[in-house]
Amino acid sequence: MADGPSRSRSRSPDRGGGGPPPGGPPLGGPPLGGPPGGGGGGEEVKLYIGNLSYTTDESKLRSEFERHGAVTDVFLPTDRDSGRPRGFGFVTYATRADAEEAIRKMDQTEMDGRTIRVNESRPRGEGGGGGGGGGFNSSGASEVKLYVGGLSYDTNEDGLRGLFEMHGSVTDCFIPTDRETGRPRGFAFVTMSAADAEKAQSACDGYELDGRVIRVNESRPRGGGGRGGGGGGYGG
């Protein structure tokens, strides 16, 4: 495996009495009917969990999601320098039916004081990774500029950049100011690679920063039909 940030991860042990391993026959005899749990033939589905509290640990995440089905893996990325959680995680279910049930029951619920986002994690480049709609980066650009609205006037560039760097490399961060007063105008633009921008948009939209719940969506050129609360229409 490639070197990367330190991580908290575990896979569930085989459960006693839980039937044969996925894809294998029962011990001592030929297969009897379909696999236990049916519906998907043992297809695992990974979910992305965004806007997690930094106090949420692996055991809490696992216990909450095991209420909705068999969890085979839990992964909480941490910052390689500070060791702090990065505010998102991944939970893998043994079947699609369980994963879809978890999305229905857990998306937009509160955990450790945060309203979490739950959607299916999709491979880079596949797009549509939940919450952002199918039109994200419809032009196929290599970089995407995000509009960040609802900012506190106390939020500075370093703090904003730090939040988005939890989800990937930030190539530009710009907080417009009023030309007369010099005060921040309450919104900003953050530019990232397309894959990281989509991940950050999903994780940071609805995130509380400096006492304000921020809104994050793709910044579209003026007249380009931007999404989400009037923010997307601000062009560079």
Side-chain angles (χ1 to χ4, degrees):
M1 306 293 183
D3 292 334
S6 56
R7 55 189 65 188
S8 171
R9 188 174 202 153
S10 73
R11 294 192 69 87
S12 297
D14 290 338
R15 299 168 185 261
L27 296 179
L32 298 175
E43 174 193 10
E44 290 191 338
V45 177
K46 180 187 290 185
L47 301 183
Y48 171 86
I49 321 298
N51 200 34
L52 286 173
S53 167
Y54 295 132
T55 64
T56 301
D57 59 16
E58 179 193 301
S59 62
K60 174 62 177 290
L61 195 62
R62 179 182 290 276
S63 66
E64 291 291 332
F65 280 82
E66 280 185 334
R67 297 177 183 179
H68 308 292
V71 171
T72 62
D73 189 51
V74 175
F75 172 34
L76 283 178
T78 56
D79 182 84
R80 68 179 58 158
D81 296 321
S82 68
R84 285 183 47 161
R86 296 178 63 191
F88 63 95
F90 299 92
V91 173
T92 302
Y93 279 96
T95 69
R96 176 164 294 279
D98 288 347
E100 291 177 350
E101 174 74 3
I103 292 173
R104 285 193 296 270
K105 295 295 181 63
M106 297 296 291
D107 187 38
Q108 301 294 335
T109 60
E110 184 173 309
M111 184 185 301
D112 293 333
R114 289 284 184 84
T115 300
I116 62 172
R117 305 281 303 272
V118 182
N119 51 63
E120 185 174 348
S121 175
R122 299 187 184 277
R124 288 177 182 265
E126 189 170 306
F136 190 90
N137 191 27
S138 58
S139 67
S142 60
E143 287 191 334
V144 172
K145 179 187 289 187
L146 298 175
Y147 171 86
V148 187
L151 287 175
S152 165
Y153 294 131
D154 295 328
T155 299
N156 59 29
E157 182 181 311
D158 287 343
L160 186 64
R161 180 183 289 269
L163 171 63
F164 280 81
E165 283 182 339
M166 292 179 179
H167 308 290
S169 177
V170 171
T171 58
D172 188 55
C173 181
F174 172 47
I175 300 180
T177 56
D178 184 275
R179 68 182 63 182
E180 295 179 358
T181 67
R183 281 169 55 104
R185 296 176 61 190
F187 63 92
F189 299 96
V190 175
T191 303
M192 309 175 74
S193 72
D196 289 342
E198 185 171 11
K199 183 168 60 176
Q201 189 274 330
S202 179
C204 295
D205 186 37
Y207 184 95
E208 185 174 320
L209 178 64
D210 294 330
R212 296 289 297 273
V213 175
I214 63 175
R215 304 198 57 181
V216 183
N217 53 55
E218 183 179 357
S219 175
R220 302 288 182 88
R222 294 182 185 275
R227 307 185 331 264
Y234 290 91

